[in-house]
Structure formats: structure tokens, C-alpha cells
């Protein structure tokens, strides 16, 4: 589904991603872990071109998205992204937050989008918040809405960048529950997280990043049971 | 003491009453307000244009730079640097006595000079307002597949607007006071009439103080209106 070839990214002369090649298959739940500053967010943000790769190529469903002529907006419509800090639009109601993109990109009429919004809100148990503003919601509610907003575009792939890191501990569960449900429905997901329980339970593959490289990867049970690299062992001993 | 009051009354009458001269000041103040409004419109249009060009330029993806946008961006930078780096009075003298030396429509020349000056300041205000919106907002919009224009229109600009309004209000008040400078190029606003009265009566104190009082009254009203508007905005934030 996504094919990353020799992806390199530097900010100025600071090399952040070092020649990464990786393939993500449909239906996979790839969990990316690693120490802070290792390039996890940058890697994820390159996948939907929020960061422009310095070199290398990324292909999504057979289309090279790093080609300067590629229609980046059309490609982004097929990938949802959920941010650490939610990034809901504070100037709009929840309903508008969810329907703005599907309507403006002509994916749906306003009526269809409204219906989709309500269906999705019901799924996460927040239908009564449709006319509230983001400032009136708790962190966990905001993040569930952010997931719903991305889903309203009917994406083929969801990218999550530490979706629970900014939440109070008692709200982490409600967000992970939504993500688990999504995983069970077959969504292809790439998730940067420090939730090792989630990685173990939901992940089909764990990537360990360190200093801009994917140092080690494996299926979750093997990964946590027998980490091979010393760096991985050190990291796991700190977080587990 | 009696002599002082007699003198005072005489000069006051001369400055404002004789020949219905107070009407001149009012007419001048009318022109001043018109000048302010017209210059503000020019300033806001220019300012928003410059701000959008500069932000659009700064947000381009690497390796996909647009040449025309690059040229426009340089022009905008030159414009704001030159205008903000030279005194308004000097700019007005250049407009009035060099570029439009032969134009008899002094109101128009003054309006243009003021508007072009104001545009450079408004541009920086608007640009600052756009930059004050968290980068995550634009990233969220773009990641949903919205294009640059829609992201600006529905997400960034409405949020920037609230941050911009107070500064724009200040710019309006500064502009209002700066209109007095166009008397130097012969536009018939309130200071121009005050000087005309002074040169006729050889008495400048009352015309000048009268002018100052009129400006002060309007500024107090404008500041009060601005305060009300800001309180309104703050209230709508609390929902
Ligand atoms: N926009 C940017 N400009 C400059 N440096 C950046 C930028 N974004 C990230 N970096 C740097 O890239 C490195 C990797 O960052 P990031 O991908 O956010 O790591 P992680 O998500 O694993 O914590 C860090 O050293 C960070 O300082
Ligand atoms: Mg990160």
C-alpha cells in the first residue's frame, strides 16, 4: 500500500531520517516506537508529505507521491492523520469540524456529510456533542472527535502520531478503545506510540526507530520477547 | 485678569466665530475622516494582499517553489521595507511634489500616500496574525486534503481575525492622526483650515488648540469603541 524507498530527510544540516526503506501492506497495524527525537514523527509526516523528503521516494497505491507533479491534496484525502495535540478547529462546532473537509473536497453533499458525522459520533458515543465547540470537551473527547474527523474522509490508511501522549491517564483508555475498534474493522494503521500494551495487543508489526533509522522490527510478541539490538533492549527496559 | 478674558474672547471669536469659521473646521474634520476611511480601505486591501503573498511564499513545499510567487514576495519585501523605513512626511512630500507634482486633486494624492503607507503596516499586522495561529491548525486542514486556499479561508483567517482586530484598531487611530500630515501637500483637511485661519488672523494658538481638541475627542471615542469591540470578542472566546 505504501512503499518507502531510501527516504532521507534533513532539516538544514541536521540529518533526521537516514535512508529508510519500508513497505506497509493493506490491513497492517504498524506500531512505531523509539526514543524521543529519533525521527518517528518526521517519518510519519513524510508519509503524507507534511514534511517534504530531502531524497528518496514514497509510493502510495502505485502512485508516486514524492513526484512534484502528484496531486498532493487528492492523495492526502485518502490518508487520515491524528495528532498528539488533536488540532481540532476551535472556531467551528464539532459537526463543522467533521463535515468541512468532506463537503469542501466534494466527497459528499452537506446532507450526506451531516449524516456521516452523526453515524461516526454515535460510534464513539459523542453524538450529543455535535453542536458543542472543541473548548467544551475533555482531552479524550477531543481526540475521539479528531479520529472521527479523519474517518469522515473515508481514508484507506490512518496515521497516528502519539495520539494519547497529551492525555490525562484516565482518558487514554477511551481513545485506545476507539483505535482498537478501528483496527478490528481492518483499517490499515501506522501508529507512533509509547503504549506498549497497545503495540502488543493490536500491532501486527513493531518498528523500533533510533537516530533516524529503523533499527529493528518484528511481529510484536517476538519483538518484546526477544529484542536483538542492545539499543532496543535498553529502550524497552526503560519503558516496560 | 479682566484684560486676559477680553483678549481670550476676542481671539476665540476671531478663530472660530467670525465669518462662521467653525464651519471650516467641521468641513476639514469631515475631509479628515473621509481621508482616514479611504486610506484605511487602501491599506487593508494592500496589506492583506501583501500578507497573503508573503505567507503563501513561506509555506511552499521545498522543491516546488513557484517563480512568480518568488518575484512577488521580493517586491512585497521591498515595499514594506521602504515604507516602514522612511518617514511618512517625506513619503507624502515625494508623492505630492515629485510624483504627482501637477495633480490638482490633493485629496486623492494624500489618500494614496496615506493608504500606501498604511498598507505596509497592515501587512505586518495581518502576517503576524496569520503566524499567531498554531501550525497544527494548518497541518490538520491540509492533512484532511483541503487545499491552501480553503485552509486559509475556513481555518486560519477566522482565527487570525480575532488576533488582528485590536492591532488593526490601533492602526486606524494612528492613521486618523497621521492624516494631519497631508496638510503639508495642500489637502484641505482640518489642520489645513486651521492654518488658513491662523495666517489670516495672525493668531495660531486657538486654531491649533481647537484642532488638537477635535482630534482628541475623536480619538477618545475611537478608543472607547475599540475597547467595546475587544470585550465582545473576549466574551465569544469563552463559549
Ligand atoms: N521542523 C523541524 N525543524 C528542525 N528540526 C526538526 C523539525 N522537526 C523535527 N526536527 C528534529 O528532528 C529530530 C526528530 O524529530 P521527531 O521526528 O519529532 O522525533 P520523534 O517524533 O521521534 O520524537 C529531532 O532532533 C527534532 O529536533
Ligand atoms: Mg514525535
Amino acid at each position: 500500500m505504501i512503499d518507502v524507498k531510501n527516504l532521507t530527510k534533513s532539516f538544514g544540516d541536521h540529518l533526521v531520517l537516514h535512508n529508510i526503506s519500508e513497505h506497509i501492506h493493506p490491513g497492517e497495524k504498524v506500531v512505531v516506537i523509539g526514543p524521543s527525537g529519533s525521527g518517528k514523527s518526521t517519518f510519519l509526516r513524510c508519509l503524507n508529505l507534511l514534511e517534504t523528503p530531502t531524497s528518496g521516494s514514497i509510493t502510495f497505491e502505485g502512485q508516486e507521491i514524492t513526484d512534484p507533479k502528484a496531486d498532493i491534496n487528492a492523495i492526502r484525502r485518502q490518508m487520515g492523520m491524528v495528532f498528539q495535540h488533536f488540532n481540532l478547529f476551535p472556531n467551528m462546532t464539532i459537526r463543522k469540524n467533521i463535515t468541512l473537509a468532506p463537503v469542501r473536497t466534494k466527497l459528499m453533499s452537506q446532507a450526506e456529510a451531516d449524516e456521516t458525522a452523526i453515524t461516526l459520533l454515535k460510534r464513539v458515543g459523542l453524538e450529543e456533542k455535535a453542536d458543542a465547540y472543541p473548548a467544551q470537551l475533555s482531552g479524550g473527547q477531543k481526540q475521539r472527535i479528531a479520529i472521527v474527523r479523519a474517518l469522515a474522509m473515508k481514508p484507506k490508511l490512518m496515521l497516528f502520531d502519539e495520539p494519547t501522549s497529551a492525555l490525562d491517564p484516565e482518558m487514554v483508555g477511551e481513545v485506545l478503545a476507539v483505535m482498537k475498534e478501528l483496527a478490528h474493522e481492518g483499517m490499515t494503521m501506522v501508529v507512533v506510540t509509547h503504549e506498549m500494551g497497545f503495540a502488543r495487543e493490536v500491532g501486527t508489526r513493531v518498528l523500533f526507530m533510533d537516530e533516524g533509522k529503523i533499527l529493528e522490527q518484528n511481529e510484536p510478541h517476538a519483538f518484546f520477547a526477544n529484542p536483538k539490538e542492545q539499543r532496543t533492549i535498553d529502550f524497552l527496559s526503560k519503558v516496560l | 485678569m479682566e484684560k486676559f478674558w477680553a483678549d481670550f474672547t476676542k481671539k476665540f471669536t476671531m478663530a472660530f466665530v467670525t465669518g462662521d469659521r467653525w464651519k471650516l473646521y467641521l468641513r476639514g474634520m469631515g475631509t479628515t475622516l473621509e481621508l482616514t476611511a479611504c486610506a484605511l480601505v487602501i491599506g487593508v486591501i494592500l496589506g492583506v494582499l501583501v500578507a497573503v503573498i508573503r505567507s503563501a511564499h513561506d509555506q511552499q513545499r521545498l522543491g516546488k517553489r513557484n517563480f512568480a510567487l518568488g518575484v512577488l514576495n521580493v517586491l512585497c519585501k521591498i515595499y514594506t521595507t521602504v515604507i516602514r523605513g522612511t518617514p511618512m512626511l517625506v513619503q507624502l512630500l515625494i508623492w505630492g511634489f515629485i510624483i504627482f507634482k501637477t495633480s490638482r486633486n490633493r485629496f486623492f494624492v494624500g489618500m494614496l500616500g496615506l493608504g500606501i503607507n498604511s498598507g505596509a503596516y497592515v501587512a505586518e499586522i495581518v502576517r503576524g496574525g496569520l503566524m499567531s495561529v498554531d501550525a497544527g491548525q494548518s497541518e490538520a486542514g491540509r492533512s484532511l486534503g483541503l487545499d491552501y486556499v480553503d485552509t486559509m479561508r475556513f481555518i486560519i483567517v477566522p482565527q487570525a481575525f480575532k488576533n488582528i482586530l485590536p492591532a488593526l484598531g490601533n492602526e486606524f487611530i494612528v492613521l486618523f492622526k497621521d492624516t494631519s500630515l497631508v496638510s503639508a501637500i495642500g489637502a484641505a483637511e482640518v489642520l489645513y483650515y486651521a492654518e488658513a485661519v491662523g495666517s489670516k488672523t495672525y493668531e495660531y494658538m486657538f486654531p491649533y488648540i481647537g484642532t488638537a481638541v477635535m482630534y482628541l475627542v475623536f480619538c477618545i471615542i475611537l478608543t472607547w469603541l475599540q475597547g467595546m469591540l475587544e470585550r465582545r470578542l473576549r466574551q465569544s472566546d469563552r463559549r
Side-chain angles (χ1 to χ4, degrees):
Chain A
M1 181 172 242
I2 288 199
D3 197 34
V4 178
K5 277 205 194 96
N6 306 109
L7 171 63
T8 295
K9 170 72 185 176
S10 41
F11 293 104
D13 47 16
H14 179 24
L15 188 62
V16 175
L17 295 180
H18 193 77
N19 205 28
I20 292 183
S21 295
E22 196 52 65
H23 193 92
I24 295 161
H25 299 273
E28 270 199 296
K29 287 77 171 106
V30 177
V31 176
V32 184
I33 63 172
S36 167
S38 57
K40 305 181 297 295
S41 297
T42 308
F43 174 64
L44 204 66
R45 291 157 58 82
C46 280
L47 297 182
N48 70 351
L49 291 199
L50 281 185
E51 302 290 354
T52 311
T54 308
S55 65
S57 74
I58 301 172
T59 312
F60 176 68
E61 304 242 284
Q63 193 184 4
E64 190 184 329
I65 67 178
T66 36
D67 180 347
K69 286 192 285 291
D71 180 354
I72 183 59
N73 295 321
I75 293 160
R76 282 180 180 145
R77 278 163 212 163
Q78 305 173 55
M79 308 184 187
M81 183 153 195
V82 175
F83 302 85
Q84 182 175 355
H85 296 286
F86 330 127
N87 298 349
L88 294 181
F89 308 131
N91 55 321
M92 300 171 203
T93 61
I94 299 308
R95 190 194 309 276
K96 193 75 202 278
N97 262 276
I98 300 170
T99 58
L100 178 71
V103 173
R104 289 302 304 175
T105 59
K106 304 205 166 63
L107 184 70
M108 299 173 196
S109 68
Q110 184 68 51
E112 284 170 322
D114 283 339
E115 203 173 304
T116 308
I118 290 301
T119 312
L120 286 168
L121 282 172
K122 274 189 186 141
R123 256 181 55 183
V124 298
L126 290 171
E127 70 267 34
E128 81 280 12
K129 299 290 186 195
D131 295 306
Y133 281 86
Q136 299 166 319
L137 305 183
S138 73
Q141 291 173 331
K142 281 185 200 169
Q143 195 61 300
R144 283 186 278 157
I145 301 289
I147 295 173
V148 161
R149 178 177 69 179
L151 289 178
M153 290 299 289
K154 306 197 184 303
K156 295 176 178 157
L157 167 78
M158 286 284 285
L159 309 172
F160 293 84
D161 191 1
E162 301 199 27
T164 58
S165 297
L167 297 177
D168 291 335
E170 76 270 20
M171 295 174 182
V172 170
E174 64 194 61
V175 172
L176 290 181
V178 172
M179 292 169 63
K180 279 177 199 166
E181 202 187 308
L182 199 58
H184 287 308
E185 286 165 14
M187 177 64 79
T188 311
M189 296 162 70
V190 183
V191 185
V192 175
T193 187
H194 295 295
E195 294 292 329
M196 297 303 149
F198 178 85
R200 225 187 278 261
E201 193 183 331
V202 180
T204 54
R205 187 151 59 108
V206 178
L207 307 185
F208 176 71
M209 280 189 74
D210 191 45
E211 293 181 344
K213 292 183 186 138
I214 297 175
L215 200 61
E216 179 169 359
Q217 60 170 296
N218 212 333
E219 167 277 318
H221 293 283
F223 179 88
F224 289 109
N226 305 305
K228 293 187 182 64
E229 301 285 335
Q230 190 56 42
R231 292 283 220 163
T232 320
I233 298 169
D234 292 346
F235 176 76
L236 289 178
S237 74
K238 276 183 219 138
V239 298
L240 285 178
Chain B
M1 196 65 199
E2 216 166 284
K3 189 163 167 291
F4 172 82
W5 280 116
D7 194 42
F8 185 98
T9 318
K10 189 180 135 235
K11 285 182 174 168
F12 184 90
T13 311
M14 213 160 66
F16 300 115
V17 184
T18 315
D20 277 349
R21 280 184 185 139
W22 57 275
K23 282 187 181 161
L24 289 179
Y25 295 89
L26 285 190
R27 191 194 303 163
M29 201 38 148
T31 307
T32 293
L33 290 173
E34 273 175 55
L35 260 175
T36 311
C38 294
L40 192 78
V41 169
I42 297 178
V44 167
I45 293 173
L46 268 177
V48 168
L49 206 67
V50 169
V52 167
I53 289 172
R54 297 216 40 201
S55 317
H57 176 268
D58 291 348
Q59 287 192 4
Q60 285 180 103
R61 290 198 283 136
L62 290 145
K64 224 186 161 181
R65 301 239 168 211
N66 181 319
F67 179 72
L69 202 53
V71 172
L72 283 174
N73 183 54
V74 170
L75 289 178
C76 289
K77 265 192 187 164
I78 293 174
Y79 163 66
T80 48
T81 308
V82 170
I83 295 293
R84 297 188 335 142
T86 54
M88 163 98 100
L89 183 56
V90 175
Q91 290 168 25
L92 285 170
L93 294 174
I94 291 174
W95 287 117
F97 297 128
I98 295 173
I99 298 172
F100 293 110
K101 193 163 53 183
T102 54
S103 165
R104 301 166 119 259
N105 192 342
R106 298 276 104 183
F107 177 91
F108 179 79
V109 176
M111 176 188 87
L112 208 65
L114 284 169
I116 287 174
N117 178 281
S118 176
Y121 291 92
V122 173
E124 291 303 301
I125 293 172
V126 173
R127 212 163 74 89
L130 294 177
M131 286 195 306
S132 75
V133 179
D134 179 45
Q137 291 291 307
S138 154
E139 289 177 357
R142 299 306 301 273
S143 77
L144 287 164
L146 292 171
D147 60 23
Y148 176 75
V149 174
D150 273 2
T151 304
M152 285 303 248
R153 178 171 159 204
F154 294 102
I155 300 163
I156 309 299
V157 171
Q159 291 183 60
F161 188 67
K162 279 189 186 176
N163 304 337
I164 290 171
L165 258 193
L168 215 52
N170 286 337
E171 172 60 19
F172 181 70
I173 291 172
V174 168
L175 188 62
F176 170 67
K177 288 183 293 184
D178 281 352
T179 52
S180 60
L181 291 172
V182 302
S183 62
I185 57 167
E189 45 70 74
V190 62
L191 184 61
Y192 177 89
Y193 283 115
E195 287 187 322
V197 170
S199 71
K200 206 167 212 167
T201 59
Y202 303 105
E203 205 293 306
Y204 282 95
M205 189 177 86
F206 279 86
Y208 279 163
I209 288 182
T211 304
V213 168
M214 287 175 88
Y215 269 108
L216 184 62
V217 168
F218 272 98
C219 276
I220 289 172
I221 296 173
L222 286 174
T223 309
W224 178 74
L225 284 174
Q226 192 193 8
M228 267 207 333
L229 192 69
E230 275 177 43
R231 274 192 297 281
R232 267 288 159 75
L233 282 178
R234 233 174 293 138
Q235 263 166 14
S236 72
D237 268 350
R238 268 192 234 113
R239 76 191 158 201

